[in-house]
Amino acid sequence: MTNRSAYDLTVDGEQHIAFVVDTGHETCRSVTNDVENVVADLVRLGIDVDRYRIIYRDSGGTWDGIDTEDARFAGFYALRATNRTEAAFMALTRRTRAQLAAGVRPK
């Protein structure tokens, strides 16, 4: 098993979503277990991870979210979505940590 995860990445620049799909979970670390490096990869690619919603599909096929703060991994959040469209909608309508802290209400 290698030390890094293997994944496919698709970026929707219009909606500010990065879709990460775990592809190497049988031979590599999972995205879940390598999330700090995955976020760092996105930053190296020029993705403003603090402005984008990052969602990932785990080895079981479930979509969940990754929170960031100051361009670093800050935690996971549950979407438990079974398809990409549903996951994207849920992520886009979710309030961020900063919005929650500031008391911002959803529109």
Side-chain angles (χ1 to χ4, degrees):
M1 183 175 293
T2 66
N3 290 332
R4 289 296 318 270
S5 60
Y7 56 88
D8 289 331
L9 172 66
T10 305
V11 177
D12 181 335
E14 186 175 309
Q15 297 216 339
H16 293 93
I17 303 175
F19 300 93
V20 177
V21 178
D22 191 332
T23 61
H25 55 274
E26 292 180 12
T27 58
C28 307
R29 291 176 68 189
S30 68
V31 167
T32 304
N33 291 323
D34 194 32
V35 68
E36 292 89 356
N37 287 319
V38 173
V39 171
D41 289 347
L42 299 180
V43 170
R44 277 191 292 281
L45 289 170
I47 298 168
D48 184 349
V49 297
D50 293 331
R51 288 188 54 226
Y52 273 63
R53 303 297 172 115
I54 305 169
I55 59 176
Y56 74 102
R57 190 181 76 195
D58 66 18
S59 58
T62 301
W63 289 91
D64 286 310
I66 299 170
D67 270 332
T68 63
E69 189 172 317
D70 298 326
R72 293 177 188 236
F73 170 69
F76 294 104
Y77 60 92
L79 296 174
R80 308 307 297 160
T82 57
N83 68 66
R84 179 178 148 147
T85 302
E86 177 186 26
F89 175 79
M90 292 171 71
L92 288 170
T93 57
R94 175 185 175 270
R95 291 184 291 164
T96 65
R97 286 175 186 244
Q99 290 170 326
L100 289 169
V104 174
R105 312 226 9 91
K107 294 180 181 183

